[in-house]
Amino acid sequence: MIAENKQTPLLAGWVIAAAAGLVAAAVSYVVVGLSPLQCCFVGALIFAVVGLILGLPGRVQVASGEPVDTALRPVNPQPLAAAAPLHAPAPAAAPSATPLAPRRPAGLTGARSGAADDLKRIKGVGPKLEQLCHSLGFFHFDQIAAWTADEIAWVDENLEGFKGRVTRDDWVAQARILAAGGTTEFSDRVDKGDVY
């Protein structure tokens, strides 16, 4: 019985890589107009990348005649969800065992006593965003200050054209200060007329 050449798939991969490198070098010279040295670099790079991809054997025939699987396998096939988070949770979010389920915060049909708070005193809220908040039923600092993590998630998802703004600008922390009668650096600038 004639022994099968074990290196044929490996050799074929490098031959294809060489052809791809030559084509890439030619195209770089003719179409792109690179210098011959640059074309050689491009060709060598393509040769190396394609050769490494195609040259990695997936199965090798050993002397005993049994195929051995040499494909790369993960060492620990645990799901990624079991890994530790890459960043610390946001201060407003309390750790929970269940995923965050966005929930719409309670809104009002109109401002209390007919006078809404100036939501533009919250950094990140401009005139258009203030109108959008009013349309969703949010008129007062104390409403925003009371939002929970799942309510913040709902508002972040439903601010058309401003998604994620609540979290990015930390509206809840600012609203707590303003609802208690305090000021922030930004609200002071708004009050002086330096912003709008």
Side-chain angles (χ1 to χ4, degrees), residues 186-196:
F186 185 79
S187 70
D188 286 340
R189 289 177 44 214
V190 172
D191 293 343
K192 290 177 186 173
D194 293 341
V195 179
Y196 302 105

Side-chain angles (χ1 to χ4, degrees), residues 133-151:
C133 286
H134 290 171
S135 72
L136 293 171
F138 312 129
F139 297 91
H140 302 284
F141 298 131
D142 63 336
Q143 287 179 278
I144 297 170
W147 288 346
T148 62
D150 55 342
E151 291 172 334

Side-chain angles (χ1 to χ4, degrees), residues 101-142:
R103 181 173 57 93
R104 189 184 202 289
L108 301 173
T109 56
R112 292 184 215 116
S113 304
D117 291 334
D118 184 3
L119 298 182
K120 296 185 299 298
R121 295 179 71 212
I122 297 174
K123 184 178 180 184
V125 179
K128 288 185 180 181
L129 194 46
E130 182 180 48
Q131 290 175 355
L132 180 57
C133 286
H134 290 171
S135 72
L136 293 171
F138 312 129
F139 297 91
H140 302 284
F141 298 131
D142 63 336

Side-chain angles (χ1 to χ4, degrees), residues 2-179:
I2 299 173
E4 185 179 319
N5 186 352
K6 297 174 205 144
Q7 296 193 2
T8 302
L10 182 64
L11 181 61
W14 286 105
V15 169
I16 292 170
L22 287 172
V23 169
V27 168
S28 298
Y29 183 72
V30 174
V31 176
V32 181
L34 296 179
S35 72
L37 183 62
Q38 291 171 324
C39 294
C40 289
F41 177 76
V42 169
L45 183 65
I46 297 298
F47 168 72
V49 171
V50 173
L52 288 173
I53 292 171
L54 296 179
L56 292 175
R59 293 180 72 77
V60 175
Q61 188 86 16
V62 293
S64 67
E66 298 263 336
V68 176
D69 192 0
T70 61
L72 299 175
R73 302 277 186 258
V75 175
N76 184 6
Q78 294 292 326
L80 291 177
L86 297 176
H87 57 81
S96 67
T98 58
L100 199 60
R103 181 173 57 93
R104 189 184 202 289
L108 301 173
T109 56
R112 292 184 215 116
S113 304
D117 291 334
D118 184 3
L119 298 182
K120 296 185 299 298
R121 295 179 71 212
I122 297 174
K123 184 178 180 184
V125 179
K128 288 185 180 181
L129 194 46
E130 182 180 48
Q131 290 175 355
L132 180 57
C133 286
H134 290 171
S135 72
L136 293 171
F138 312 129
F139 297 91
H140 302 284
F141 298 131
D142 63 336
Q143 287 179 278
I144 297 170
W147 288 346
T148 62
D150 55 342
E151 291 172 334
I152 291 169
W154 186 92
V155 177
D156 267 342
E157 281 299 312
N158 288 280
L159 288 177
E160 293 297 321
F162 301 96
K163 291 187 179 196
R165 182 62 63 90
V166 177
T167 302
R168 274 196 312 272
D169 292 323
D170 199 6
W171 287 10
V172 173
Q174 294 181 70
R176 285 181 183 147
I177 294 168
L178 296 170

